[in-house]
Amino acid sequence: MDTIRSAIQPLTHNLPGPIRDLGVSIIGDKCYQALLLDVDLENTECLKYAISKALGIGIVGASSVVKVPQIIKLASSRSASGVSFLSYLLETSSYLISLAYNFRNAFPFSTYGETALVLGQNVIITVLVLNYSGRASMAALFVAALATSVVTLFAENVLDMQKLRYLQAGAGVLSVASKVPQILAIWQEGGTGQLSAYTVFNYLLGSLTRIFTTLQEVDDKLILYGFVAGFALNLVLALQMVYYWNVPSSKAKGKQKEAPVRAKAQPKVKVPSPAPAATSTTAVSKSKGPTTRRRG
């Protein structure tokens, strides 16, 4: 340990000012002193805190693109097959409430920052699902209701903190319930359709990581229980994704069956053979044949 410390300390003691200030702002003066200046890797409290911060920042960064593959898949296929509108509606509502609750409680941004980024992507996906399902008017209504909810949840003079806490308890239930329609949709379709595997597996890892960061940085059982329940249902979705990996959905199977049936149903068109033309010899013989008429 002394060898490692003597090798690292010349670097950590001469870091540029902006990097040093950034480190202090992330892990605090105490842990910055212990981990970077003193290189005390046996300080488990600061070590866990630093790992939690690193994981939290990583989740926030990854969440900026976590649902981009799903958006691309929907836009390119112009189909909402296998993607549950109800699931995204419930999840968006849950994320909006959680974002307001964390923000108004002034929790560290690294513990909930992905909520804002995923929320924006969820709005895009929900609008696409409604448009490709032939319900464009509902998409406009959804956006209007969302804007009204934002104003209500973030305004302290409209909604007090106690009521917001009740909503947060309900948001945990909504977050868990949002996975159920998607699980049922996959089961009914017999395939994952346009659901993105990248999104599903990232959600699974993200919810597991959030359990750890919440235990380290946020003393709030409402948020912790929501992440635990979310992880359990994300695990079910991930297992479904693996099970139905190469299985086409029921709609895709129906299209595959329609092609040969249509081919068999097409009637054979018979080309009529040309009628035999009258020979010139017959015509001549008829016109020049003898007559029984007597001449006068």
Side-chain angles (χ1 to χ4, degrees):
M1 181 62 68
D2 291 335
T3 305
I4 296 174
R5 185 178 291 110
S6 60
I8 294 177
Q9 279 184 331
L11 297 175
T12 57
H13 279 264
N14 293 285
L15 290 173
I19 295 178
R20 184 175 60 253
D21 294 341
L22 179 62
V24 171
S25 67
I26 293 174
I27 61 176
D29 289 318
K30 178 184 174 182
C31 288
Y32 185 87
Q33 176 71 34
L35 297 178
L36 292 177
L37 299 181
D38 298 338
V39 194
D40 182 11
L41 300 182
E42 294 179 358
N43 189 330
T44 55
E45 182 182 350
C46 282
L47 194 59
K48 287 181 180 179
Y49 184 72
I51 292 172
S52 175
K53 282 293 186 182
L55 289 173
I57 293 171
I59 291 175
V60 173
S63 67
S64 62
V65 295
V66 67
K67 293 202 172 183
V68 171
Q70 182 67 78
I71 294 171
I72 293 173
K73 201 168 184 181
L74 285 168
S76 60
S77 66
R78 302 187 70 81
S79 168
S81 171
V83 182
S84 170
F85 160 70
L86 180 59
S87 177
Y88 272 94
L89 177 63
L90 293 175
E91 186 179 69
T92 301
S93 302
S94 169
Y95 272 40
L96 180 58
I97 295 170
S98 294
L99 179 62
Y101 181 77
N102 281 275
F103 178 80
R104 288 176 59 176
N105 273 292
F107 289 142
F109 185 75
S110 61
T111 63
Y112 72 91
E114 78 280 1
T115 305
L117 298 173
V118 175
L119 175 64
Q121 295 169 72
N122 272 358
V123 173
I124 296 172
I125 292 172
T126 305
V127 171
L128 288 176
V129 169
L130 288 172
N131 278 328
Y132 295 145
S133 301
R135 294 177 286 179
S137 57
M138 280 190 64
L141 183 63
F142 165 74
V143 173
L146 185 69
T148 305
S149 300
V150 169
V151 174
T152 303
L153 290 170
F154 282 85
E156 295 182 6
N157 58 340
V158 177
L159 187 70
D160 60 59
M161 200 62 207
Q162 185 59 41
K163 291 178 181 176
L164 184 58
R165 179 173 286 275
Y166 293 145
L167 288 176
Q168 176 60 30
V173 177
L174 284 178
S175 180
V176 173
S178 69
K179 308 297 178 186
V180 176
Q182 185 62 72
I183 292 171
L184 292 176
I186 293 173
W187 178 71
Q188 290 171 353
E189 293 258 345
T192 55
Q194 303 305 318
L195 191 64
S196 169
Y198 175 84
T199 299
V200 170
F201 288 112
N202 269 274
Y203 255 44
L204 178 65
L205 294 175
S207 57
L208 178 61
T209 305
R210 271 297 170 227
I211 294 173
F212 176 76
T213 60
T214 303
L215 286 170
Q216 295 301 315
E217 300 183 57
V218 179
D219 185 18
D220 195 311
K221 300 301 181 184
L222 287 175
I223 295 177
L224 177 63
Y225 295 154
F227 282 129
V228 171
F231 170 76
L233 291 180
N234 281 329
L235 180 60
V236 175
L237 277 173
L239 291 175
Q240 281 186 314
M241 183 63 70
V242 173
Y243 182 77
Y244 292 111
W245 190 263
N246 290 318
V247 179
S249 66
S250 56
K251 290 183 180 180
K253 289 178 182 177
K255 289 181 180 179
Q256 291 175 358
K257 289 179 181 179
E258 286 177 6
V261 170
R262 287 177 181 175
K264 290 179 181 178
Q266 288 179 355
K268 293 182 179 180
V269 180
K270 293 183 179 181
V271 180
S273 56
T279 59
S280 58
T281 55
T282 306
V284 172
S285 61
K286 285 184 179 181
S287 61
K288 292 185 178 182
T291 181
T292 55
R293 182 179 174 184
R294 297 180 64 185
R295 298 182 182 184

